[in-house]
Amino acid sequence: MNSKVTLEERKAKVLMKLRGYKLLKREETKNAISFTVKMPKDKKKALIWCIPTESTVGIQYTSQLSKAMKEAETERGIIVTSGRYTPAAKVNAKKKGIELIPRNFPSFNIFEHEFVPKHEILTSEEREKILAKYRMKPYQLPRIKASDPAAKAIGANPGDMVRIIRESPTAGKYVAYRYVVEG
Amino acid sequence: MSTEEAVHKVVNELYFGIISPGDIRRFSVAEIQTADTYDEDGAPITSGLMDGRLGTLEPRQRCKTCGNTAIRCPGHFGHIELAVPIIHIEFTKIVYDLLRATCRNCGRALLSDNRIAQIKNRIRHTRKLLGTVPSEIYKNVLKEAQKKECPHCGAPQYKIEFAKPTAFYEILVEEGAQRLTQSMIRERLERITDDDLELFGFNPKTARPEWMVLQVLPVPPVYVRPSITLESGIRSEDDLTHKLVDIIRINQRLKENMEAGAPTLIIQDLSELLQYHVTTYFNNEASGIPPARHRSGRALKTLSQRLKGKEGRFRSNLSGKRVDFSARTVISPDPNLDISEVGVPLDVAIRLSMPEKVTEWNIDEMRKLVINGPEKYPGALYVVRPDGKRVRLEFVVDREKVAEALEPGFIIERHLKDGNVAIFNRQPSLHRMSIMAHYVRVLPHKTFRLHLCVCPPYNADFDGDEMNLHVPQNEEAQTEARLLMQVQGQILSPRFGGPIIGAIRDFITAAYLFTRKSTLLTKEEVCRLLVAANYEGPLPEPEVKEPKPLWTGKQIFSLFLPKDLNYALKATICRGCTRCLCEECPYDAYVVIKDGILKCGVVDRRSIGAEQSESLLHRIIKDYGSQAGRRFLNRICQLLKLFMTTQGFTFSFDELELSHAAQRKIEKTIEKFEDRIGKLIVAFQNSTLPRLPGQTLSESFEIYVMNKLAEARDKAGKVADEDFDIDNSGIIMTRSGARGSDLNIGQMAACVGQQSVRGKRIMRGYVNRTLPHFEIGDPSPKARGFVYSSYQHGLDPIEFFFHAMGGREGLVDTAVRTQQSGYMQRRLINALEHLRIEYDGTVRNSIGDIIQLIYGEDGVDPAKSDHRKAVNVSRLIEQIKIMMEKGEPAPKPYITERLHEVEDQLTPLLMKELKSQLTKAKLSREGVDQAVNLTLENYKKALVEPGEAVGIVAAQSMGEPGTQMTLRTFHYAGVREQNVTLGLPRLIEIVDARRTPSTPIMTIYLDKEHRKSKEKATEIARNIICTNVEDIAEALPYIDPEQGRVVVKLNSSMMEERGITPEELADALHLPNYTVNVNEGRLILKPKKPTDLKKLLDGIFAHYVKGGPGIRRVLVTEEMGEWVIRTDGSNLPRVLEVEGVDPTRTITNHIHEIAQTLGVEAARNAIIKEAMGVLEEQGLDVDIRHVMLVADIMTSTGDVRQIGRHGISGEKASVLARAAFEITVPNIVEAAINGESDPLRGVTENVIVGQSIPIGTGLVDLYMSSAHREKTK
């Protein structure tokens, strides 16, 4: 668009910031901008591709990315785009371990929005503590879908538990938990 | 009691399944073969439909199977052997799914072994992850397993068609469509393996698919279908019996034909007919078949119809049951009663009874009661002997003998007497205060009497209202009623944490008159009043001593205030002056109570009224307890009643007479406005009227005129209002808040004003005019329903007619609203009824899933809160300040330290408040200690108790105000040009979780750079509004046949308004097959290849050019010193990405859009904000905790779910609860297929099986650890 940084790159930057990815390398290829990042959790590398298009993102991108992933010896790939994904691309991405960021992923930090409270992924110790405190199974908690924009932003996967720190009109501050489910 | 309590078992769980033919035969006591019922003598025919083995209806006859009489025999099933298998109508859908998903040859699921293993894994995995398996998974499997070829045996599969109601066809390649007979279907279903069935969500142990095709039909016992004998002696059979007769008759015929070897055509016809009869026997409303009819032409009510709907078994007999020991009659007011009493007419009191055990101490009294018998008032109806034998005193000739035989241990069912507890109720029971426990007061005459202060919670008036009374029959129930349902315990409403019971109407007028400065009372008057109010104590010093002692009303009123009460508030009569003079208020509107003395100010609605929070009454209840509140209310009501009756209060017609000056002024005012409207009319007719953005000229004109007319009415009303002095009875009532408003006074005395239909001036009637008295197109106020007259002067015929039109709309509105809000309430209750507080403080549903970790996020019960707040810290500190002697202020570190100690026990909000208040208050160390301790103590007192039915309370708190809402409110949001749906329709929309709101609206905030100036904001607005080619075209597009192109003439001013340059337009039109050209104000589209231009011509107008799709209108307005954009239409994801927009504050009222772009948590916040906004806009006070609970349950699955059958209620754990809500039969069918079990842990299901509900006191149970038990062994 009229700004120098493309929308996709802005989205990718926001994503990296929210998930705490460390930028190692930025490359520009002919139809994508590629970032190599380090993930904070397991110190592994991931490859982010920003595909600046409004139309569809097909299977060719996912297979290209998976090839590039092999070359760069990364285990995870992420595609950021404003376009639609073809169904085939979605299937392929799932097989290759590529995460597809949906097109409506906002290009600003959604946790700055007045309606969105802070979300955090729980560590397994915290998780056990909470579950023991309330004597429950994780699925008894309220849920959040893995495709939820807030869950996507922090990179929560099904099976994780998320802590939500709300501004409460009655208590001032309130901590809620949600269990991440597929969808 | 003893005999009936002997066997008492608890139903723990309920299993659902399909009954197998084997079971039907096993349970059957008789095969029914004859289509007849009774022979000539009226005796049931053996193996007929009324066979004695199925049970007996005759009172003294014994059942042939169990040997019991009619009362004790449970009834026994028989069976009919069907000649051909028959498909059960309620299962056709699933039969169809199974036929398609399984092999026609080998019966296996049409999925490869690999895939089956995969699916099984997936099911196992989801069960582990989620605890249950969502039904969508099974549905998807059924869909997936539709193949052309069987992966197991390789047999080709054909398409199967389902023709409603019960026919199936297989489309073979060569032969074409072939009907599948019921036996073929049954055979195929038999072949499906148990393992495969599990993939489809079946539980093969309880539901084999072949059982869905009936071979044997169970015949219900006679009690299910009793025949009735009419007065004329003619027997009339039940609908079900009629249907069974049909079935048997056809079945026999079919059997005979088959045995005789009749042609297949006949056999087929007959089996078709049998299928029809069995189908209608189960469901007479199945689509695709004509309903079976009675001889009279009435459609028969068969099994499905018996269960479903409002009058069906579930809602009418199982969820709600008829009761004994109840009474109903008209209500009337009685200010002489206590607020917690109910006046019961003698006629009722001698028919309702209460059991009382005879003891050594009351035996003499009881004997008297027995001797008095059922007719003489303090009497008794029954004597129950310890062995359970009941003696009905009505039939006892010698009651003295019975009385003599009384012994301790007998139970006397005696008449109701004063002081008994009774439960009083008025429908609709919208909240828990609609059912309260009162103490009985037996009174003469025939109506129930109640105190006027309890009218608001019941929403009762005395224009013929009736109410119900119930008498709890045992100590446990009575105690529970007394502890939980007593009137004074209900004064504080859980809806907003304030008193809902309080003075109304004349009590308020009286309070105002009594506490006015001018009220002076002589000793005699004072004494009489105080005696009436039951005051015992010294008289205060009289205010005026000479010439004779006189007391002020304030002094006397003060006698009833607690001695240490300190409080200040502004009365209803307060005029809201810009600078409050406080104690010096000229209107005496500043109420100050110091040490229990009313120093200044009048007592009116703000102080003692019902539904007023933070009032004097509220303070007394909060600080001195509900008992003190009740006493206070009782005594002042007695006092005020006597004061008012001795003085008298009338609003006379003459009092509406205005002074001449005022009348002239009103005339002038209206003339002035008429002039202005005349100018508007001229401007409108000359089209010089400025158009409002987004409105047509005539719409703008209407808006202008309506505003002016409303203003005129208000001005006129104000003149009238000011003309009356404060001693005018009408003014006294409106100012003190007793009844009516300034508007009512204005309408009565000055001008009634504009009548409206659908929020507009009256336009309907003749062509372009309302009545033939006017010229066509006359836009004058008079011709469009403006009523110049006042009610006092009377309306002229035309005005009267318009007034009636407006009045009719009001009536229709109320009727529609009650229905809508009633349904909303039912859905809310159903979705939330099973939520309760657990002992760990969490809010959970019946199966233990968590909805909230801490109720309302702070754990405070709104009913125990102080108008939403857990603790009123400022008041607390104020009181400590007064009580404590002045000491050295505590140092700051001390305060911090003390606060730190309690940090983990209080909410962050309370901590903050306490801290700021303490630092300000300068209390001594002791004071600080006390403040902190008291805050903690009060906070703990305000916490919810385990078992509390928070869900029901929340549903009631949102549903009850629904009835008070206006139905159609289109409100102007900020700018008057913008319409937003508000009120009840919007609230329903929110809880419905509609896909799109009826008026989507966005509020777009801008970043620092753009929020300052209008120009920059407009710039952004242009990028937001959705522009299609149509919006910038001047005329319709046309085809230029010579050049073979489509031409659109463009409107340059529109293009400028939307900020589109010709170049941009050409760029924006993304048409790969055309060349796009814009010049000379024309848009020219030429195809690259010759094509049919017609399609392009039709589509070109809808072509997108610029902006956010869906955004129809933008308005740039200034709010709070910054420029914001408001839009009609919503597209959040798009707008958030527009440059210059502040994405962190921009919001929409489209909840699903928020859920998709910002997540569930944001959607939760949006629901809370929207719902609270609607309620607040209507001036309804609802605690946010209730709305939060609703929002939490709506978002608890990560999706925004509806409150209703497609959302929360449809996903309840209990089959019975789901069936009782809506879609009864399909729910039961599905439960049977899946082999579901009902854990019976919710509310509805326990009501249905007749057990106590696990909520509140019903939750309390006795547990014993098994380890302990072993030890004792």
Side-chain angles (χ1 to χ4, degrees):
Chain A
M1 304 262 197
N2 40 8
S3 58
K4 279 153 254 152
V5 186
T6 63
L7 187 63
E8 289 71 28
E9 193 173 344
R10 286 215 313 267
K11 285 185 178 178
K13 287 264 169 67
V14 168
L15 188 75
M16 285 173 348
K17 193 181 146 209
L18 288 172
R19 295 194 182 174
Y21 292 173
K22 259 203 208 92
L23 181 64
L24 299 176
K25 204 164 68 181
R26 179 181 188 273
E27 277 173 301
E28 268 182 54
T29 53
K30 68 174 192 299
N31 51 12
I33 301 162
S34 137
F35 297 98
T36 315
V37 295
K38 200 164 85 183
M39 292 190 287
K41 218 185 337 188
D42 43 10
K43 308 285 175 224
K44 274 179 187 153
K45 281 197 284 182
L47 207 57
I48 304 178
W49 270 20
C50 305
I51 301 162
T53 175
E54 288 262 326
S55 60
T56 53
V57 171
I59 201 159
Q60 70 271 24
Y61 287 103
T62 54
S63 39
Q64 271 172 31
L65 177 57
S66 86
K67 224 182 275 167
M69 277 158 59
K70 255 177 217 147
E71 278 167 27
E73 288 175 356
T74 53
E75 271 173 41
R76 288 195 55 195
I78 297 168
I79 292 182
V80 181
T81 179
S82 312
R84 280 196 188 80
Y85 298 102
T86 61
K90 280 184 193 160
V91 174
N92 192 256
K94 207 172 177 188
K95 225 183 279 170
K96 301 270 168 66
I98 295 170
E99 190 188 353
L100 303 177
I101 301 299
R103 64 197 302 244
N104 61 1
F105 186 81
S107 70
F108 68 100
N109 180 353
I110 61 166
F111 298 118
E112 281 173 12
H113 193 281
E114 58 178 24
F115 273 3
V116 189
K118 208 171 156 206
H119 292 54
E120 290 166 359
I121 302 175
L122 291 189
T123 63
S124 50
E125 297 92 68
E126 290 170 323
R127 202 182 139 102
E128 290 316 311
K129 226 175 106 186
I130 297 297
L131 293 179
K133 182 177 172 193
Y134 292 105
R135 300 178 181 213
M136 59 182 174
K137 293 270 189 294
Y139 55 74
Q140 290 187 306
L141 274 174
R143 294 163 191 182
I144 186 169
K145 291 205 276 182
S147 62
D148 191 273
K152 268 259 140 88
I154 55 165
N157 293 316
D160 284 345
M161 256 168 70
V162 175
R163 174 194 293 124
I164 295 153
I165 301 157
R166 293 178 189 156
E167 296 268 320
S168 165
T170 55
K173 201 186 98 181
Y174 174 76
V175 181
Y177 299 90
R178 280 183 190 266
Y179 178 56
V180 186
V181 293
E182 274 172 55
Chain B
M1 270 197 269
S2 50
T3 42
E4 261 150 54
E5 266 180 24
V7 187
H8 182 85
K9 287 189 179 175
V10 176
V11 185
N12 236 335
E13 203 170 358
L14 219 57
Y15 292 96
F16 288 82
I18 304 176
I19 192 163
S20 71
D23 280 341
I24 296 175
R25 292 196 187 97
R26 203 163 30 255
F27 293 139
S28 167
V29 292
E31 188 184 344
I32 311 299
Q33 284 159 320
T34 324
D36 289 326
T37 48
Y38 297 96
D39 58 22
E40 296 92 33
D41 313 329
I45 296 171
T46 317
S47 83
L49 274 168
M50 289 291 163
D51 193 309
R53 288 171 289 180
L54 303 183
T56 177
L57 288 165
E58 305 300 321
R60 263 172 297 281
Q61 222 163 44
R62 284 189 182 274
C63 165
K64 278 188 185 146
T65 307
C66 62
N68 285 312
T69 49
I71 308 158
R72 302 224 126 218
C73 168
H76 313 278
F77 274 88
H79 77 280
I80 299 170
E81 290 285 346
L82 296 172
V84 288
I86 296 293
I87 297 172
H88 191 308
I89 179 71
E90 301 293 352
F91 292 105
T92 46
K93 191 86 205 304
I94 185 76
V95 167
Y96 179 47
D97 285 339
L98 283 177
L99 287 177
R100 283 191 301 176
T102 53
C103 174
R104 63 193 297 268
N105 182 38
C106 68
R108 291 293 310 271
L110 294 173
L111 294 163
S112 63
D113 285 331
N114 244 336
R115 186 71 193 134
I116 289 175
Q118 249 176 34
I119 291 168
K120 274 195 180 156
N121 240 329
R122 198 181 133 90
I123 290 172
R124 207 175 314 128
H125 185 66
T126 18
R127 180 164 291 138
K128 211 179 127 210
L129 225 55
L130 300 181
T132 50
V133 187
S135 60
E136 288 89 72
I137 290 188
Y138 297 129
K139 265 182 204 140
N140 287 337
V141 175
L142 275 171
K143 214 177 209 173
E144 192 189 328
Q146 288 177 26
K147 299 258 171 61
K148 285 265 157 64
E149 198 186 276
C150 175
H152 301 281
C153 66
Q157 306 298 317
Y158 304 108
K159 203 177 156 211
I160 290 178
E161 256 174 24
F162 170 40
K164 274 187 174 173
T166 46
F168 291 92
Y169 295 93
E170 191 165 36
I171 317 286
L172 300 176
V173 182
E174 277 149 35
E175 293 92 331
Q178 195 114 76
R179 170 109 196 226
L180 290 174
T181 63
Q182 287 99 331
S183 354
M184 284 161 80
I185 292 167
R186 193 167 202 280
E187 268 163 37
R188 284 198 189 182
L189 295 176
E190 270 168 8
R191 280 199 292 264
I192 306 173
T193 61
D194 282 2
D195 265 7
D196 286 353
L197 281 172
E198 275 169 34
L199 298 175
F200 305 137
F202 268 66
N203 181 352
K205 283 192 203 85
T206 55
R208 278 293 313 174
E210 64 266 23
W211 299 340
M212 302 188 291
V213 183
L214 304 160
Q215 285 177 313
V216 199
L217 188 71
V219 176
V222 284
Y223 307 119
V224 175
R225 42 186 179 88
S227 50
I228 39 169
T229 319
L230 296 175
E231 275 168 49
S232 51
I234 303 166
R235 271 239 153 104
S236 180
E237 294 301 328
D238 190 88
D239 282 2
L240 281 188
T241 312
H242 279 302
K243 211 59 238 174
L244 285 167
V245 168
D246 290 340
I247 292 171
I248 294 166
R249 197 174 290 141
I250 301 302
N251 193 39
Q252 293 298 5
R253 206 147 95 209
L254 184 55
K255 257 185 205 160
E256 283 157 22
N257 273 303
M258 280 164 85
E259 272 156 27
T264 38
L265 209 67
I266 291 173
I267 303 271
Q268 207 170 2
D269 271 3
L270 278 173
S271 43
E272 194 88 328
L273 193 57
L274 184 60
Q275 174 76 57
Y276 168 79
H277 284 308
V278 175
T279 299
T280 48
Y281 170 68
F282 285 117
N283 184 357
N284 203 12
E285 280 166 4
S287 62
I289 47 158
R293 286 179 193 284
H294 192 250
R295 259 170 310 188
S296 61
R298 166 184 66 89
L300 295 173
K301 226 179 157 201
T302 51
L303 287 173
S304 269
Q305 280 70 50
R306 280 194 173 200
L307 303 180
K308 71 182 186 193
K310 193 171 173 188
E311 261 97 63
R313 202 86 326 136
F314 276 94
R315 275 175 76 183
S316 168
N317 301 105
L318 292 167
S319 303
K321 298 168 162 96
R322 284 171 184 268
V323 292
D324 261 346
F325 307 103
S326 60
R328 178 184 175 94
T329 179
V330 177
I331 51 166
S332 41
D334 191 342
N336 301 309
L337 291 174
D338 189 289
I339 57 164
S340 64
E341 280 182 322
V342 56
V344 178
L346 191 73
D347 297 82
V348 170
I350 63 169
R351 275 172 186 83
L352 289 178
S353 67
M354 184 161 287
E356 191 161 339
K357 209 152 201 158
V358 179
T359 60
E360 280 176 47
W361 301 280
N362 68 5
I363 192 157
D364 292 334
E365 192 192 332
M366 288 297 141
R367 284 204 170 112
K368 259 181 222 151
L369 294 181
V370 172
I371 291 166
N372 275 345
E375 300 296 337
K376 202 168 157 197
Y377 172 53
L381 299 175
Y382 290 91
V383 173
V384 186
R385 291 209 291 256
D387 61 357
K389 259 252 161 34
R390 297 168 68 86
V391 179
R392 190 167 172 181
L393 291 176
E394 202 183 330
F395 299 145
V396 174
V397 190
D398 189 8
R399 288 197 293 267
E400 307 240 354
K401 219 159 137 196
V402 179
E404 207 45 49
L406 279 190
E407 258 170 63
F410 277 48
I411 291 163
I412 304 293
E413 295 194 351
R414 58 155 175 83
H415 290 157
L416 224 51
K417 68 175 188 194
D418 287 5
N420 285 154
V421 183
I423 292 166
F424 205 35
N425 165 227
R426 178 180 179 273
Q427 285 95 355
S429 313
L430 295 171
H431 53 191
R432 71 177 189 205
M433 287 80 73
S434 290
I435 306 180
M436 292 192 284
H438 290 247
Y439 292 97
V440 168
R441 185 84 171 264
V442 180
L443 293 174
H445 309 304
K446 312 234 162 179
T447 58
F448 285 138
R449 248 62 53 85
L450 64 153
H451 194 274
L452 289 124
C453 287
V454 291
C455 284
Y458 289 119
N459 193 16
D461 48 37
F462 305 104
D463 58 4
D465 289 24
E466 288 180 57
M467 281 179 72
N468 302 326
L469 187 87
H470 300 265
V471 185
Q473 293 288 306
N474 60 47
E475 298 293 341
E476 195 186 352
Q478 284 162 24
T479 311
E480 204 158 292
R482 234 190 317 258
L483 291 177
L484 300 171
M485 304 172 69
Q486 216 177 183
V487 173
Q488 62 257 43
Q490 302 292 332
I491 298 177
L492 295 180
S493 161
R495 192 179 90 210
F496 55 95
I500 196 172
I501 293 170
I504 52 166
R505 316 271 183 268
D506 284 356
F507 287 121
I508 289 168
T509 314
Y512 170 75
L513 293 174
F514 189 63
T515 54
R516 271 203 307 197
K517 276 180 184 157
S518 54
T519 306
L520 289 171
L521 304 158
T522 63
K523 186 164 187 181
E524 195 186 326
E525 285 169 322
V526 167
C527 290
R528 201 179 308 182
L529 289 171
L530 289 179
V531 167
N534 215 355
Y535 173 80
E536 275 172 38
L539 281 181
E541 279 294 301
E543 184 83 18
V544 182
K545 293 193 176 93
E546 291 299 325
K548 53 175 183 172
L550 290 171
W551 282 264
T552 62
K554 285 195 176 74
Q555 278 185 300
I556 305 305
F557 188 84
S558 303
L559 294 176
F560 300 98
L561 294 170
K563 289 292 152 272
D564 52 348
L565 182 75
N566 289 289
Y567 199 56
L569 66 103
K570 282 183 187 166
T572 314
I573 57 161
C574 173
R575 298 285 185 86
C577 317
T578 39
R579 203 172 63 86
C580 187
L581 294 170
C582 296
E583 277 93 341
E584 262 79 68
C585 181
Y587 308 107
D588 206 16
Y590 194 77
V591 184
V592 176
I593 292 159
K594 211 165 175 196
D595 295 326
I597 306 288
L598 182 60
K599 289 279 178 203
C600 68
V602 290
V603 173
D604 57 15
R605 194 155 78 111
R606 275 304 287 119
S607 303
I608 55 165
E611 284 186 87
Q612 295 289 319
S613 26
E614 280 156 67
S615 62
L616 176 59
L617 178 64
H618 189 183
R619 275 281 59 84
I620 291 175
I621 296 161
K622 281 263 57 130
D623 295 351
Y624 302 92
S626 59
Q627 197 62 30
R630 195 199 96 198
R631 256 172 68 83
F632 171 71
L633 206 55
N634 272 328
R635 302 204 317 176
I636 61 162
C637 282
Q638 301 283 0
L639 174 88
L640 294 174
K641 179 209 75 195
L642 189 67
F643 175 71
M644 206 54 174
T645 42
T646 46
Q647 225 197 20
F649 183 77
T650 315
F651 187 18
S652 72
F653 186 73
D654 298 338
E655 277 179 286
L656 282 170
E657 198 80 52
L658 286 169
S659 70
H660 279 294
Q663 242 161 37
R664 226 167 303 129
K665 210 169 161 195
I666 289 169
E667 276 163 29
K668 273 222 182 93
T669 321
I670 289 180
E671 261 167 43
K672 202 169 75 198
F673 276 98
E674 273 209 305
D675 274 359
R676 286 192 208 161
I677 287 162
K679 278 181 198 140
L680 282 174
I681 293 173
V682 172
F684 172 56
Q685 279 159 353
N686 299 338
S687 305
T688 53
L689 201 70
R691 203 161 58 91
L692 292 170
Q695 308 281 344
T696 66
L697 193 65
S698 55
E699 278 166 356
S700 310
F701 170 72
E702 279 300 313
I703 291 170
Y704 284 128
V705 174
M706 261 159 42
N707 286 339
K708 279 276 165 287
L709 288 174
E711 212 182 305
R713 205 246 346 255
D714 290 345
K715 280 259 170 70
K718 213 177 153 207
V719 171
D721 204 47
E722 277 163 5
D723 187 52
F724 296 131
D725 65 355
I726 189 71
D727 283 322
N728 183 293
S729 307
I731 298 295
I732 288 175
M733 286 194 285
T734 58
R735 294 277 162 80
S736 63
R739 193 80 219 254
S741 62
D742 294 351
L743 177 81
N744 296 138
I745 296 281
Q747 286 195 322
M748 284 191 283
C751 167
V752 173
Q754 181 65 48
Q755 298 302 305
S756 70
V757 172
R758 302 211 164 163
K760 297 218 164 57
R761 293 205 291 163
I762 293 169
M763 299 288 191
R764 50 187 61 208
Y766 296 83
V767 178
N768 284 327
R769 54 178 166 171
T770 45
L771 287 171
H773 309 69
F774 303 106
E775 276 178 30
I776 288 174
D778 183 0
S780 65
K782 184 86 185 174
R784 296 264 165 97
F786 189 78
V787 178
Y788 288 92
S789 318
S790 65
Y791 285 129
Q792 194 233 1
H793 271 262
L795 277 58
D796 69 32
I798 292 169
E799 289 175 340
F800 183 84
F801 184 69
F802 288 138
H803 186 251
M805 282 171 87
R808 163 76 115 265
E809 194 193 39
L811 294 178
V812 171
D813 209 80
T814 336
V816 174
R817 184 176 62 234
T818 38
Q819 275 181 15
Q820 285 195 356
S821 80
Y823 184 45
M824 184 183 81
Q825 167 109 355
R826 185 168 119 80
R827 279 174 3 207
L828 276 167
I829 295 277
N830 207 282
L832 301 170
E833 62 178 3
H834 54 314
L835 302 190
R836 61 172 187 232
I837 304 281
E838 294 288 339
Y839 281 91
D840 60 358
T842 54
V843 179
R844 302 195 191 211
N845 67 13
S846 59
I847 49 166
D849 288 349
I850 288 174
I851 308 299
Q852 289 179 335
L853 283 177
I854 304 167
Y855 171 66
E857 302 193 338
D858 61 356
V860 170
D861 186 345
K864 293 195 232 157
S865 74
D866 196 334
H867 198 211
R868 313 189 245 279
K869 274 197 286 199
V871 185
N872 196 336
V873 178
S874 55
R875 189 170 158 74
L876 192 86
I877 288 178
E878 202 94 319
Q879 271 176 327
I880 291 170
K881 233 177 172 175
I882 292 164
M883 276 179 351
M884 286 273 166
E885 284 150 52
K886 283 248 164 72
E888 200 179 316
K892 217 168 175 191
Y894 184 77
I895 295 172
T896 335
E897 197 195 321
R898 288 290 297 138
L899 284 173
H900 190 73
E901 281 168 33
V902 292
E903 195 167 6
D904 53 339
Q905 295 179 68
L906 289 174
T907 64
L909 198 73
L910 269 177
M911 286 299 291
K912 218 175 104 194
E913 211 183 330
L914 199 55
K915 196 174 170 188
S916 72
Q917 296 273 359
L918 277 180
T919 34
K920 251 197 299 185
K922 299 213 165 40
L923 289 174
S924 63
R925 281 175 193 242
E926 235 175 289
V928 171
D929 283 356
Q930 203 171 4
V932 173
N933 290 340
L934 272 176
T935 308
L936 193 62
E937 196 184 304
N938 287 350
Y939 174 67
K940 283 186 174 159
K941 266 190 210 158
L943 291 179
V944 257
E945 285 164 42
E948 181 78 49
V950 284
I952 294 176
V953 172
Q956 290 175 347
S957 301
M958 277 189 79
E960 188 264 339
T963 30
Q964 298 169 32
M965 279 196 231
T966 41
L967 184 63
R968 208 179 297 109
T969 29
F970 276 109
H971 192 73
Y972 307 117
V975 229
R976 72 191 128 122
E977 292 88 35
Q978 205 172 16
N979 284 325
V980 196
T981 318
L982 281 172
L984 189 63
R986 176 64 186 148
L987 195 60
I988 289 177
E989 217 167 77
I990 296 166
V991 297
D992 261 359
R994 296 257 172 86
R995 278 289 140 200
T996 44
S998 62
T999 47
I1001 275 193
M1002 289 187 82
T1003 309
I1004 301 164
Y1005 291 88
L1006 305 171
D1007 62 12
K1008 282 203 190 87
E1009 197 191 325
H1010 294 85
R1011 72 172 71 133
K1012 297 277 160 55
S1013 79
K1014 187 174 183 180
E1015 286 66 44
K1016 285 193 168 161
T1018 317
E1019 193 73 29
I1020 292 168
R1022 280 180 186 153
N1023 290 332
I1024 287 170
I1025 187 168
C1026 178
T1027 306
N1028 292 336
V1029 174
E1030 186 178 5
D1031 300 316
I1032 48 169
E1034 187 145 281
L1036 286 172
Y1038 60 92
I1039 297 173
D1040 183 353
E1042 279 170 34
Q1043 314 245 357
R1045 57 187 194 176
V1046 171
V1047 180
V1048 183
K1049 196 147 182 256
L1050 298 173
N1051 181 333
S1052 57
S1053 68
M1054 279 308 277
M1055 279 181 72
E1056 205 175 302
E1057 201 184 303
R1058 306 255 171 156
I1060 298 164
T1061 60
E1063 293 77 48
E1064 270 177 6
L1065 176 62
D1067 271 357
L1069 289 174
H1070 218 64
L1071 296 161
N1073 294 329
Y1074 298 89
T1075 55
V1076 182
N1077 243 317
V1078 184
N1079 53 23
E1080 291 161 21
R1082 288 190 305 172
L1083 169 70
I1084 299 156
L1085 298 155
K1086 199 170 174 170
K1088 284 172 182 163
K1089 281 179 244 156
T1091 37
D1092 186 15
L1093 288 170
K1094 196 92 176 98
K1095 223 167 140 191
L1096 178 68
L1097 187 75
D1098 292 342
I1100 186 68
F1101 255 19
H1103 220 90
Y1104 168 77
V1105 180
K1106 190 181 175 182
I1111 295 179
R1112 292 184 296 273
R1113 232 149 55 86
V1114 289
L1115 280 167
V1116 180
T1117 56
E1118 197 172 14
E1119 270 168 41
M1120 318 274 274
E1122 64 174 301
W1123 288 93
V1124 295
I1125 302 170
R1126 288 177 173 276
T1127 69
D1128 266 9
S1130 174
N1131 193 339
L1132 188 66
R1134 189 70 179 239
V1135 170
L1136 288 181
E1137 302 297 344
V1138 172
E1139 238 170 289
V1141 168
D1142 180 359
T1144 61
R1145 293 189 294 156
T1146 294
I1147 47 167
T1148 166
N1149 67 355
H1150 191 325
I1151 286 159
H1152 282 281
E1153 215 168 74
I1154 290 178
Q1156 266 155 30
T1157 45
L1158 298 172
V1160 259
E1161 278 292 322
R1164 188 193 93 102
N1165 283 328
I1167 292 169
I1168 294 170
K1169 193 189 157 246
E1170 287 290 321
M1172 283 304 285
V1174 171
L1175 293 166
E1176 268 161 27
E1177 192 268 342
Q1178 297 270 321
L1180 298 165
D1181 197 358
V1182 177
D1183 197 292
I1184 195 167
R1185 281 167 261 256
H1186 304 307
V1187 182
M1188 282 204 275
L1189 187 65
V1190 172
D1192 268 317
I1193 200 169
M1194 283 177 75
T1195 56
S1196 66
T1197 53
D1199 261 327
V1200 179
R1201 285 187 304 167
Q1202 180 212 44
I1203 302 244
R1205 64 170 163 244
H1206 301 297
I1208 295 149
S1209 301
E1211 284 163 32
K1212 280 175 132 183
S1214 161
V1215 181
L1216 291 180
R1218 270 182 279 138
F1221 177 54
E1222 271 162 16
I1223 40 175
T1224 307
V1225 177
N1227 255 319
I1228 297 171
V1229 169
E1230 198 177 320
I1233 291 167
N1234 301 339
E1236 268 181 75
S1237 65
D1238 194 320
L1240 289 178
R1241 297 225 291 257
V1243 177
T1244 321
E1245 51 269 39
N1246 276 300
V1247 172
I1248 287 175
V1249 299
Q1251 295 180 160
S1252 87
I1253 54 167
I1255 267 189
T1257 45
L1259 186 67
V1260 181
D1261 232 328
L1262 189 61
Y1263 287 92
M1264 193 156 81
S1265 81
S1266 50
H1268 187 78
R1269 197 165 58 185
E1270 262 156 44
K1271 237 185 262 167
T1272 49
K1273 261 183 201 169

